[in-house]
Amino acid sequence: MNKSKPIWMVLLAAVVFWSANTTMAGTIKGKVKVRGLRSPKNVVVYIDRVEGQFKPPQEHAIVNQKEMVFHPHVLLIVAGTTVEFHNGDQVLHNVFTPDKCAEKFNLGTWPAGEVRSYTFKEVDCEAVILCNVHPEMEAWVKVLQNPYFYKTDKDGVFTIENIAAGKYTLKVWHKKAQGPSQEVTVPEKGEVTVNLKMKRKR
Ligand SMILES: [Cu+2]
């Protein structure tokens, strides 16, 4: 029974393998414009809901405090992700949030080299992260249902790749601006371009 497989079996296996690896998926790309802000930096563009369960990554996300600034300023994570808060300064920093969706945690105050963490469980949570030693310090953790998100740079350009073909609701978020959500149809292959407009919140 150790004969080599007939050629049709090899071809069939190849076709099955190929089709399993080419699900119909496309890209959403575009640009965000924000009226009333200096630049569209740190706008979060994301698909509101995608069918299925999205497991958080094994590796932890990191927020550092360096030169009295939280890095990154906006962190995007899938629900269930653990975030490590590092202190990269030679002074004591604290980490807390007043937001209920993150259980109003206060991780305490600690020196450089020490790390404390928190697992964000609630989808759609937008938690402001503060330091009670330095009131000017601020960061945001935005918790999403799925990994189809993008955070813009100064140019406002975004790309979300490898989305299964279908209809979705694309949303935008910025701490100081707001904009309408938009229905988007992702093609089976290739890309759809969407331009998004936001306005500074009053
Ligand atoms: Cu601080």
Side-chain angles (χ1 to χ4, degrees):
M1 287 304 286
N2 208 6
K3 279 184 211 157
S4 60
K5 291 191 175 78
I7 186 74
W8 67 265
M9 275 180 78
V10 174
L11 286 174
L12 183 66
V15 167
V16 168
F17 180 78
W18 172 80
S19 56
N21 279 281
T22 48
T23 39
M24 300 300 194
T27 298
I28 304 176
K29 61 189 286 186
K31 205 169 177 174
V32 189
K33 279 190 181 165
V34 187
R35 217 163 68 196
L37 288 189
R38 224 176 338 142
S39 88
K41 194 181 172 179
N42 279 328
V43 170
V44 179
V45 182
Y46 65 103
I47 297 181
D48 184 38
R49 286 292 182 276
V50 175
E51 245 179 73
Q53 289 281 334
F54 297 92
K55 277 197 187 152
Q58 290 272 301
E59 65 270 32
H60 296 172
I62 293 171
V63 172
N64 193 13
Q65 301 185 77
K66 187 85 189 145
E67 284 156 9
M68 311 294 182
V69 177
F70 281 109
H71 300 279
H73 182 61
V74 177
L75 176 71
L76 305 181
I77 54 169
V78 173
T81 301
T82 298
V83 179
E84 290 179 7
F85 293 94
H86 293 222
N87 182 349
D89 281 332
Q90 293 309 314
V91 297
L92 293 172
H93 282 300
N94 161 272
V95 172
F96 80 100
T97 180
D99 284 312
K100 239 196 229 164
C101 62
E103 303 171 284
K104 300 186 179 182
F105 68 69
N106 187 336
L107 301 180
T109 303
W110 63 92
E114 212 175 294
V115 174
R116 298 193 189 175
S117 48
Y118 179 79
T119 303
F120 290 81
K121 293 161 221 93
E122 199 172 314
V123 173
D124 295 328
C125 181
E126 294 159 5
V128 65
I129 307 297
L130 302 168
C131 166
N132 66 19
V133 184
H134 308 104
E136 72 282 7
M137 293 181 70
E138 180 195 284
W140 293 83
V141 175
K142 180 140 175 75
V143 187
L144 299 155
Q145 180 253 350
N146 63 74
Y148 299 100
F149 51 67
Y150 194 95
K151 185 176 68 179
T152 60
D153 214 324
K154 278 184 300 199
D155 56 9
V157 168
F158 67 91
T159 307
I160 305 172
E161 287 177 320
N162 209 20
I163 311 156
K167 282 188 179 167
Y168 298 97
T169 303
L170 196 64
K171 289 194 171 180
V172 283
W173 178 86
H174 187 280
K175 64 172 181 176
K176 286 183 182 163
Q178 58 195 0
S181 52
Q182 200 156 318
E183 301 309 308
V184 179
T185 301
V186 173
E188 293 185 342
K189 105 184 196 212
E191 53 195 41
V192 56
T193 301
V194 183
N195 288 312
L196 301 163
K197 284 184 180 154
M198 299 179 81
K199 255 193 235 169
R200 191 191 169 99
K201 285 182 199 164
R202 286 161 200 269

